[in-house]
Amino acid sequence: MRSLKNEIEQRGMRIFELVEQHPDTSFSKAGFHQRIMALSMRDEELKVQLFRFVEVLPSLRTSDEVIEHLREYLADTRDGFAPVIRAGVHLSGLVPWLSARVLRWNVSQMAHQFIAGRDARELMKNLRRRRAKKIGFTVDLLGEAVVSEKDADEYAARCLTLLETLARETRDWADPLGTNSELFPVVNLSVKISALYSQINPAAPADAIARLTPKLRTILRRAREIGAFVNFDMESYDHKNITLELFKTIFTQPEFKDWPHAGIVIQAYLRDAEADLRDLIQWGRMRGARFAVRLVKGAYWDYETMKARQNSWDSPVFLQKPESDANFETLSRLLLENESIVTAAFGSHNVRSIAHAQVCADEVGIDRSRFEFQLLYGMGGPIKRALVDMGYRVREYCPVGELLPGMAYLVRRLLENTSNEGFLRAKFAENVSERELLRDPEELIAVGAVRQDTADRGPAVEQLPGDVYVNSPLVNFAYKDSQDKMQSALREVRKRFGEKYPLVIGDEKVWTEQLTPSVNPSNPTEIVGYGSEAGIPEAERAVKAARAACGKWSRTPFEDRARLLERAAEILERRRYELSAVEIFEVGKEWREADADIREAIDFCTFYAQQMRRIGRPKLTQQVPGEENYHHYWPRGVAFVIAPWNFPIAILCGMTSAALVTGNTVIMKPSEQSIICGAMLMQVFEEAGVPPGVLNFLSGHGSVIGAHLVDHKDVDLIAFTGSREVGLRIWESAGVTRPGQRELKHVICEMGGKNAMIVDSDADLGEAIDYSIYSAFGYQGQKCSALSRLILLEENYDRVMERLIPAAASLRIGNPEEPRTMVGPVIDEAAYKRILDYIEIGKGEAKLAYQAKEVPPHGYFIPPTIFTDVKPNMRIAREEIFGPVLSILKVRDLDEALEVANGTDYALTGGFFSRSPANIERVKAQLEAGNVYINRSCTGAIVGRHPFGGFKMSGSGTKAGGEDYLLHFLLPRVVTENVARHGLAPEKEPEYRDEFLWPSKR
Ligand SMILES: Cc1cc2nc3c(=O)[nH]c(=O)nc-3n(C[C@H](O)[C@H](O)[C@H](O)COP(=O)(O)OP(=O)(O)OC[C@H]3O[C@@H](n4cnc5c(N)ncnc54)[C@H](O)[C@@H]3O)c2cc1C
């Protein structure tokens, strides 16, 4: 073991010796690129601003725009360099034309350091130069984000053309080593599956594989004919399993079963990597033909850790850099030990990782001509030369493409080169000692380091929950296990179709003669279940039961009520897949949307429990000698909760749990279209131990029991989420005081939206289109937060439309039971007819720019529809449609865009895509919406993180899932006691005492 360690060190030293003979210029101080790198490594904030500027630059059209962005990004950076930068920014303002040109030129030079050519001609020139240095290539086609099947088909066609060019141009090229050349074709193409299919859904690997196979087959067939090699690059984790499965599927098919020139990437930073590699090797042995693996650490570390934190997932990547390094070494050995079936390519610039692979190969007895080192174009030049000098195979990964699509790649490389953790920075910028750089990563793995992703969940009561609240994790459908669980839940729930569910009043299950069927909107002949239908007598009984339970429940310690919610959350978690399945059948949600709804319900329970602990204890107010004051809350009394069908468990649960935890008793009425979801939630609370009468479940017609209870003298609070029409009626009706009424009724009223997103002239169009499509057509546009007006600046209009329509045309429409479905049915026949009516209105008012042609023949499926030439005063631009219909409005500039966006009765959500810091600030300040989203979708609010709710005709200004939400369910109260007796006051300052807690009798 010891000798191996020494050998690796010695080998590393030898590589360093050779590296020193050809110093790396990337990190020296001379040019623009070098200065950018040096500046970024000194100051993180400056680095972010610089890279953001670099990224947006190619999409800016005029010199003024360039200078404006430069100013916005860099004028205010705080740092020792600020004066230099400020002077530069100032100068560029004086001569914008020249400065913009110089900047563009510099950035394009910088990009060309990492991009091997804009086109085939430039590429070949570079490849020939490399060939003279005995360096091979694999080419990667850069392109804009693939948002449609049109984009994907174009990428596939470009791959084919590139293969032809490479074959033609390299016809007489020989292998640089001359031995084992049959393993290493000269022409080598790297492909990305996300560029070949725009609708990859991690939950639906079979669909992705079915769609990708024919496209890849064409490329692979041609590659085989011309004797090329094709490598599947590895992208983010949610594509990993699909990529592996696809690889195995295609290369087991008879046509490619014996083809040895296919490779795939394994990312050593993944915790799964070893299991995946072992599985691949086993597959390869069964297949019986050689294949290749490029071993890398992985390019998406920041993305993966960020995404895991956002979704409350355990991180799929190691969190300590030496863990990735050590795993790279483990996997290097595994590859070399299985060299009889797998050809290894080590993709690293790290001399320790490289030296380890070399020594390991010697030890296992693998000749150096039988594996290769792969490095990125423009990086680690001296290392490549050193490896060639040592007689190893070296191949460069050469991206080719235009500057605009190349920017994302360039920024990734800049980040990698300036990363605190990176080898290249340590070696070439910080001159870390060679001995240190060659240390065994195992020695460096911190013992017992805390994993950030599994940090303690339970925050202390005193802390502000908003800051520390940890959401329940979303189900990650990238895992086969999650897919299987969902499939099995769907089967189980289907078996229960047609079951009947009672009302619950007090301690009784109440069955009524009238039963309401709840149908599956994807197939209306299927009845998911029946709900007992409450009439006025049942409503009366429910109010009595709730009123009777009020006193005791209001005196129940808030801690007990908080625990009830937490128990409910646990049950929701346990029944998670089952409840998602019910939603898929009853309201037509697709898998991820259904799961997000259950997650939100869980979050409401745990978040409100936590909030109650924060506000439940009475607080002392300002204290003066001789007087004692405290402030606390009483519940309002009986709450009537009226929920919609579009978030059938989350919203019902949110309003109910808020009412319960604050000490109110509740009559819970689900929507007529989602009775079964409501009944399920009632079961959850019953199992959690809600006392009889504290929560009563009434399903029935809103126009009958709803109206009756809203007007009822014994209902003190109404929590409503739904349409504007019903909301306003409730608001008005609740304002009338009836004989015998104790309280002024309090109404929490959340209504609809006519949400707008604005796309700025400098926006990242791939992102803007992707998110707009999701916001408009996710759950068929039936979210109150959904996008319905997309506002485009005329400067951008054509470019956006050119890609938006094909993106809409690529959506998968169908039964959401199938995980591949993105657009399912609308809720019922009435909605179906109403939306179709709106589409007719749209056809009369504006121009029908797109409508999907094929939708399933049965069920309430509306084709996604896009109208252009829409004017702000048209009905389709003003009225809430609540379906998959998107209006496009063209405007002159941002002023007009804001005017149009704000020119509606509603103010729920709104969005803006831009890379101009000044414009972003302006929209943040001026967009009239309760939830403003910048550079992301305008749907998908998360409890605690995005407290949700609007104003104007969208709502009464409450924020579900926010810190102040519970206060709407409470009455504040202050108690003052004069504790002085004839001038004698206690000397002791008053302190919090338990007696301040809610009085024992009320
Ligand atoms: C030819 C080639 C092809 C490639 N193809 C792909 C590909 O298809 N897919 C892909 O994802 N990557 C790919 N990469 C890898 C990637 O782009 C980086 O170049 C590579 O990870 C850098 O590793 P290194 O060994 O050169 O440098 P090092 O500096 O030794 O390692 C840096 C890497 O360590 C990891 N890391 C950083 N911080 C941490 C931390 N805190 N905890 C754990 N790990 C950490 C990250 O993976 C980071 O990239 C490829 C690389 C090459 C050279």
Side-chain angles (χ1 to χ4, degrees), residues 811-834:
L811 293 171
R812 307 296 305 268
I813 306 165
N815 187 332
E817 235 178 301
E818 294 292 337
R820 62 166 182 257
T821 295
M822 160 74 185
V823 182
V826 300
I827 188 70
D828 62 10
E829 196 175 349
Y832 179 78
K833 287 190 175 146
R834 193 176 40 75

PDB file of all heavy atoms in Angstrom, residues 811-834:
ATOM      1  N   LEU A 811     -45.391  19.561 -26.496  1.00  0.00           N
ATOM      2  CA  LEU A 811     -45.908  19.073 -25.216  1.00  0.00           C
ATOM      3  C   LEU A 811     -46.639  17.750 -25.380  1.00  0.00           C
ATOM      4  O   LEU A 811     -47.342  17.549 -26.369  1.00  0.00           O
ATOM      5  CB  LEU A 811     -46.884  20.109 -24.625  1.00  0.00           C
ATOM      6  CG  LEU A 811     -46.263  21.430 -24.195  1.00  0.00           C
ATOM      7  CD1 LEU A 811     -47.342  22.431 -23.835  1.00  0.00           C
ATOM      8  CD2 LEU A 811     -45.334  21.194 -23.005  1.00  0.00           C
ATOM      9  N   ARG A 812     -46.494  16.896 -24.382  1.00  0.00           N
ATOM     10  CA  ARG A 812     -47.202  15.609 -24.433  1.00  0.00           C
ATOM     11  C   ARG A 812     -48.558  15.771 -23.764  1.00  0.00           C
ATOM     12  O   ARG A 812     -48.644  16.094 -22.574  1.00  0.00           O
ATOM     13  CB  ARG A 812     -46.387  14.529 -23.701  1.00  0.00           C
ATOM     14  CG  ARG A 812     -44.947  14.379 -24.162  1.00  0.00           C
ATOM     15  CD  ARG A 812     -44.821  13.928 -25.598  1.00  0.00           C
ATOM     16  NE  ARG A 812     -45.534  12.696 -25.885  1.00  0.00           N
ATOM     17  CZ  ARG A 812     -45.004  11.482 -25.806  1.00  0.00           C
ATOM     18  NH1 ARG A 812     -43.759  11.338 -25.450  1.00  0.00           N
ATOM     19  NH2 ARG A 812     -45.710  10.409 -26.096  1.00  0.00           N
ATOM     20  N   ILE A 813     -49.609  15.534 -24.531  1.00  0.00           N
ATOM     21  CA  ILE A 813     -50.972  15.681 -24.009  1.00  0.00           C
ATOM     22  C   ILE A 813     -51.543  14.282 -23.810  1.00  0.00           C
ATOM     23  O   ILE A 813     -51.378  13.429 -24.688  1.00  0.00           O
ATOM     24  CB  ILE A 813     -51.854  16.438 -25.026  1.00  0.00           C
ATOM     25  CG1 ILE A 813     -51.179  17.762 -25.400  1.00  0.00           C
ATOM     26  CG2 ILE A 813     -53.257  16.679 -24.483  1.00  0.00           C
ATOM     27  CD1 ILE A 813     -51.746  18.412 -26.635  1.00  0.00           C
ATOM     28  N   GLY A 814     -52.198  14.058 -22.708  1.00  0.00           N
ATOM     29  CA  GLY A 814     -52.762  12.724 -22.531  1.00  0.00           C
ATOM     30  C   GLY A 814     -53.275  12.503 -21.123  1.00  0.00           C
ATOM     31  O   GLY A 814     -53.412  13.437 -20.324  1.00  0.00           O
ATOM     32  N   ASN A 815     -53.527  11.242 -20.829  1.00  0.00           N
ATOM     33  CA  ASN A 815     -54.020  10.848 -19.516  1.00  0.00           C
ATOM     34  C   ASN A 815     -52.868  10.963 -18.510  1.00  0.00           C
ATOM     35  O   ASN A 815     -51.825  10.336 -18.704  1.00  0.00           O
ATOM     36  CB  ASN A 815     -54.523   9.405 -19.610  1.00  0.00           C
ATOM     37  CG  ASN A 815     -55.202   8.970 -18.333  1.00  0.00           C
ATOM     38  OD1 ASN A 815     -54.895   9.466 -17.252  1.00  0.00           O
ATOM     39  ND2 ASN A 815     -56.140   8.050 -18.469  1.00  0.00           N
ATOM     40  N   PRO A 816     -53.063  11.734 -17.448  1.00  0.00           N
ATOM     41  CA  PRO A 816     -51.948  11.922 -16.507  1.00  0.00           C
ATOM     42  C   PRO A 816     -51.569  10.680 -15.714  1.00  0.00           C
ATOM     43  O   PRO A 816     -50.568  10.692 -15.007  1.00  0.00           O
ATOM     44  CB  PRO A 816     -52.450  13.040 -15.588  1.00  0.00           C
ATOM     45  CG  PRO A 816     -53.899  13.117 -15.789  1.00  0.00           C
ATOM     46  CD  PRO A 816     -54.221  12.553 -17.129  1.00  0.00           C
ATOM     47  N   GLU A 817     -52.340   9.633 -15.858  1.00  0.00           N
ATOM     48  CA  GLU A 817     -51.910   8.365 -15.252  1.00  0.00           C
ATOM     49  C   GLU A 817     -50.552   7.964 -15.843  1.00  0.00           C
ATOM     50  O   GLU A 817     -49.757   7.311 -15.204  1.00  0.00           O
ATOM     51  CB  GLU A 817     -52.941   7.305 -15.651  1.00  0.00           C
ATOM     52  CG  GLU A 817     -53.551   6.575 -14.511  1.00  0.00           C
ATOM     53  CD  GLU A 817     -54.589   5.583 -15.019  1.00  0.00           C
ATOM     54  OE1 GLU A 817     -55.561   6.003 -15.681  1.00  0.00           O
ATOM     55  OE2 GLU A 817     -54.411   4.390 -14.745  1.00  0.00           O
ATOM     56  N   GLU A 818     -50.346   8.341 -17.105  1.00  0.00           N
ATOM     57  CA  GLU A 818     -49.071   8.074 -17.775  1.00  0.00           C
ATOM     58  C   GLU A 818     -48.071   9.138 -17.342  1.00  0.00           C
ATOM     59  O   GLU A 818     -48.340  10.328 -17.510  1.00  0.00           O
ATOM     60  CB  GLU A 818     -49.226   8.195 -19.296  1.00  0.00           C
ATOM     61  CG  GLU A 818     -50.124   7.168 -19.917  1.00  0.00           C
ATOM     62  CD  GLU A 818     -49.496   5.788 -19.830  1.00  0.00           C
ATOM     63  OE1 GLU A 818     -48.265   5.710 -19.709  1.00  0.00           O
ATOM     64  OE2 GLU A 818     -50.251   4.804 -19.844  1.00  0.00           O
ATOM     65  N   PRO A 819     -46.922   8.714 -16.817  1.00  0.00           N
ATOM     66  CA  PRO A 819     -46.004   9.732 -16.286  1.00  0.00           C
ATOM     67  C   PRO A 819     -45.455  10.686 -17.343  1.00  0.00           C
ATOM     68  O   PRO A 819     -44.985  11.753 -17.014  1.00  0.00           O
ATOM     69  CB  PRO A 819     -44.879   8.892 -15.677  1.00  0.00           C
ATOM     70  CG  PRO A 819     -45.009   7.544 -16.277  1.00  0.00           C
ATOM     71  CD  PRO A 819     -46.438   7.356 -16.610  1.00  0.00           C
ATOM     72  N   ARG A 820     -45.516  10.315 -18.612  1.00  0.00           N
ATOM     73  CA  ARG A 820     -44.946  11.193 -19.637  1.00  0.00           C
ATOM     74  C   ARG A 820     -45.837  12.419 -19.883  1.00  0.00           C
ATOM     75  O   ARG A 820     -45.408  13.379 -20.512  1.00  0.00           O
ATOM     76  CB  ARG A 820     -44.763  10.440 -20.945  1.00  0.00           C
ATOM     77  CG  ARG A 820     -46.074   9.950 -21.513  1.00  0.00           C
ATOM     78  CD  ARG A 820     -45.971   9.496 -22.958  1.00  0.00           C
ATOM     79  NE  ARG A 820     -47.276   9.094 -23.412  1.00  0.00           N
ATOM     80  CZ  ARG A 820     -47.674   7.839 -23.553  1.00  0.00           C
ATOM     81  NH1 ARG A 820     -46.834   6.867 -23.274  1.00  0.00           N
ATOM     82  NH2 ARG A 820     -48.892   7.559 -23.953  1.00  0.00           N
ATOM     83  N   THR A 821     -47.074  12.362 -19.410  1.00  0.00           N
ATOM     84  CA  THR A 821     -48.026  13.430 -19.731  1.00  0.00           C
ATOM     85  C   THR A 821     -47.650  14.747 -19.068  1.00  0.00           C
ATOM     86  O   THR A 821     -47.329  14.803 -17.895  1.00  0.00           O
ATOM     87  CB  THR A 821     -49.434  13.016 -19.257  1.00  0.00           C
ATOM     88  OG1 THR A 821     -49.816  11.889 -20.024  1.00  0.00           O
ATOM     89  CG2 THR A 821     -50.454  14.136 -19.448  1.00  0.00           C
ATOM     90  N   MET A 822     -47.701  15.788 -19.874  1.00  0.00           N
ATOM     91  CA  MET A 822     -47.466  17.122 -19.322  1.00  0.00           C
ATOM     92  C   MET A 822     -48.797  17.889 -19.265  1.00  0.00           C
ATOM     93  O   MET A 822     -49.038  18.675 -18.376  1.00  0.00           O
ATOM     94  CB  MET A 822     -46.453  17.822 -20.235  1.00  0.00           C
ATOM     95  CG  MET A 822     -46.413  19.314 -20.147  1.00  0.00           C
ATOM     96  SD  MET A 822     -45.629  19.904 -18.645  1.00  0.00           S
ATOM     97  CE  MET A 822     -45.892  21.659 -18.820  1.00  0.00           C
ATOM     98  N   VAL A 823     -49.672  17.664 -20.256  1.00  0.00           N
ATOM     99  CA  VAL A 823     -50.960  18.355 -20.267  1.00  0.00           C
ATOM    100  C   VAL A 823     -52.078  17.309 -20.225  1.00  0.00           C
ATOM    101  O   VAL A 823     -52.184  16.476 -21.127  1.00  0.00           O
ATOM    102  CB  VAL A 823     -51.103  19.226 -21.540  1.00  0.00           C
ATOM    103  CG1 VAL A 823     -52.421  19.986 -21.519  1.00  0.00           C
ATOM    104  CG2 VAL A 823     -49.939  20.194 -21.665  1.00  0.00           C
ATOM    105  N   GLY A 824     -52.876  17.367 -19.179  1.00  0.00           N
ATOM    106  CA  GLY A 824     -53.978  16.414 -19.013  1.00  0.00           C
ATOM    107  C   GLY A 824     -55.315  17.069 -19.341  1.00  0.00           C
ATOM    108  O   GLY A 824     -55.374  18.062 -20.075  1.00  0.00           O
ATOM    109  N   PRO A 825     -56.384  16.519 -18.765  1.00  0.00           N
ATOM    110  CA  PRO A 825     -57.708  17.061 -19.063  1.00  0.00           C
ATOM    111  C   PRO A 825     -58.047  18.246 -18.166  1.00  0.00           C
ATOM    112  O   PRO A 825     -57.436  18.410 -17.108  1.00  0.00           O
ATOM    113  CB  PRO A 825     -58.620  15.890 -18.699  1.00  0.00           C
ATOM    114  CG  PRO A 825     -57.893  15.242 -17.550  1.00  0.00           C
ATOM    115  CD  PRO A 825     -56.432  15.382 -17.826  1.00  0.00           C
ATOM    116  N   VAL A 826     -59.031  19.052 -18.560  1.00  0.00           N
ATOM    117  CA  VAL A 826     -59.540  20.066 -17.630  1.00  0.00           C
ATOM    118  C   VAL A 826     -60.586  19.399 -16.743  1.00  0.00           C
ATOM    119  O   VAL A 826     -60.993  18.264 -16.994  1.00  0.00           O
ATOM    120  CB  VAL A 826     -60.082  21.329 -18.351  1.00  0.00           C
ATOM    121  CG1 VAL A 826     -58.980  21.979 -19.159  1.00  0.00           C
ATOM    122  CG2 VAL A 826     -61.287  20.998 -19.218  1.00  0.00           C
ATOM    123  N   ILE A 827     -60.995  20.104 -15.715  1.00  0.00           N
ATOM    124  CA  ILE A 827     -61.656  19.412 -14.612  1.00  0.00           C
ATOM    125  C   ILE A 827     -62.996  18.759 -14.960  1.00  0.00           C
ATOM    126  O   ILE A 827     -63.267  17.653 -14.536  1.00  0.00           O
ATOM    127  CB  ILE A 827     -61.789  20.341 -13.374  1.00  0.00           C
ATOM    128  CG1 ILE A 827     -62.287  19.579 -12.160  1.00  0.00           C
ATOM    129  CG2 ILE A 827     -62.697  21.540 -13.660  1.00  0.00           C
ATOM    130  CD1 ILE A 827     -61.304  18.631 -11.592  1.00  0.00           C
ATOM    131  N   ASP A 828     -63.846  19.433 -15.728  1.00  0.00           N
ATOM    132  CA  ASP A 828     -65.145  18.813 -16.005  1.00  0.00           C
ATOM    133  C   ASP A 828     -65.757  19.387 -17.278  1.00  0.00           C
ATOM    134  O   ASP A 828     -65.163  20.253 -17.938  1.00  0.00           O
ATOM    135  CB  ASP A 828     -66.094  18.952 -14.806  1.00  0.00           C
ATOM    136  CG  ASP A 828     -66.402  20.394 -14.458  1.00  0.00           C
ATOM    137  OD1 ASP A 828     -66.037  21.297 -15.249  1.00  0.00           O
ATOM    138  OD2 ASP A 828     -67.006  20.647 -13.401  1.00  0.00           O
ATOM    139  N   GLU A 829     -66.939  18.926 -17.544  1.00  0.00           N
ATOM    140  CA  GLU A 829     -67.578  19.304 -18.793  1.00  0.00           C
ATOM    141  C   GLU A 829     -67.861  20.809 -18.844  1.00  0.00           C
ATOM    142  O   GLU A 829     -67.690  21.454 -19.887  1.00  0.00           O
ATOM    143  CB  GLU A 829     -68.879  18.524 -18.949  1.00  0.00           C
ATOM    144  CG  GLU A 829     -69.373  18.590 -20.356  1.00  0.00           C
ATOM    145  CD  GLU A 829     -70.611  17.726 -20.566  1.00  0.00           C
ATOM    146  OE1 GLU A 829     -70.951  16.919 -19.677  1.00  0.00           O
ATOM    147  OE2 GLU A 829     -71.219  17.886 -21.620  1.00  0.00           O
ATOM    148  N   ALA A 830     -68.269  21.343 -17.708  1.00  0.00           N
ATOM    149  CA  ALA A 830     -68.598  22.781 -17.694  1.00  0.00           C
ATOM    150  C   ALA A 830     -67.344  23.595 -18.023  1.00  0.00           C
ATOM    151  O   ALA A 830     -67.388  24.524 -18.840  1.00  0.00           O
ATOM    152  CB  ALA A 830     -69.143  23.173 -16.331  1.00  0.00           C
ATOM    153  N   ALA A 831     -66.216  23.204 -17.402  1.00  0.00           N
ATOM    154  CA  ALA A 831     -64.964  23.923 -17.675  1.00  0.00           C
ATOM    155  C   ALA A 831     -64.573  23.747 -19.136  1.00  0.00           C
ATOM    156  O   ALA A 831     -64.163  24.686 -19.816  1.00  0.00           O
ATOM    157  CB  ALA A 831     -63.857  23.394 -16.775  1.00  0.00           C
ATOM    158  N   TYR A 832     -64.743  22.536 -19.604  1.00  0.00           N
ATOM    159  CA  TYR A 832     -64.411  22.213 -20.998  1.00  0.00           C
ATOM    160  C   TYR A 832     -65.164  23.135 -21.956  1.00  0.00           C
ATOM    161  O   TYR A 832     -64.575  23.765 -22.843  1.00  0.00           O
ATOM    162  CB  TYR A 832     -64.786  20.744 -21.221  1.00  0.00           C
ATOM    163  CG  TYR A 832     -64.550  20.218 -22.608  1.00  0.00           C
ATOM    164  CD1 TYR A 832     -63.276  19.867 -23.026  1.00  0.00           C
ATOM    165  CD2 TYR A 832     -65.622  20.046 -23.486  1.00  0.00           C
ATOM    166  CE1 TYR A 832     -63.065  19.359 -24.301  1.00  0.00           C
ATOM    167  CE2 TYR A 832     -65.420  19.539 -24.756  1.00  0.00           C
ATOM    168  CZ  TYR A 832     -64.138  19.198 -25.160  1.00  0.00           C
ATOM    169  OH  TYR A 832     -63.928  18.698 -26.417  1.00  0.00           O
ATOM    170  N   LYS A 833     -66.468  23.259 -21.716  1.00  0.00           N
ATOM    171  CA  LYS A 833     -67.283  24.093 -22.620  1.00  0.00           C
ATOM    172  C   LYS A 833     -66.916  25.564 -22.488  1.00  0.00           C
ATOM    173  O   LYS A 833     -66.826  26.294 -23.463  1.00  0.00           O
ATOM    174  CB  LYS A 833     -68.765  23.905 -22.297  1.00  0.00           C
ATOM    175  CG  LYS A 833     -69.276  22.566 -22.760  1.00  0.00           C
ATOM    176  CD  LYS A 833     -70.779  22.505 -22.643  1.00  0.00           C
ATOM    177  CE  LYS A 833     -71.293  21.197 -23.230  1.00  0.00           C
ATOM    178  NZ  LYS A 833     -72.456  20.702 -22.501  1.00  0.00           N
ATOM    179  N   ARG A 834     -66.711  25.978 -21.243  1.00  0.00           N
ATOM    180  CA  ARG A 834     -66.393  27.393 -21.007  1.00  0.00           C
ATOM    181  C   ARG A 834     -65.075  27.769 -21.690  1.00  0.00           C
ATOM    182  O   ARG A 834     -64.969  28.814 -22.345  1.00  0.00           O
ATOM    183  CB  ARG A 834     -66.297  27.639 -19.494  1.00  0.00           C
ATOM    184  CG  ARG A 834     -66.283  29.083 -19.083  1.00  0.00           C
ATOM    185  CD  ARG A 834     -66.282  29.225 -17.557  1.00  0.00           C
ATOM    186  NE  ARG A 834     -65.426  28.237 -16.895  1.00  0.00           N
ATOM    187  CZ  ARG A 834     -64.119  28.288 -16.871  1.00  0.00           C
ATOM    188  NH1 ARG A 834     -63.483  29.287 -17.428  1.00  0.00           N
ATOM    189  NH2 ARG A 834     -63.404  27.342 -16.278  1.00  0.00           N
TER     190      ARG A 834
END
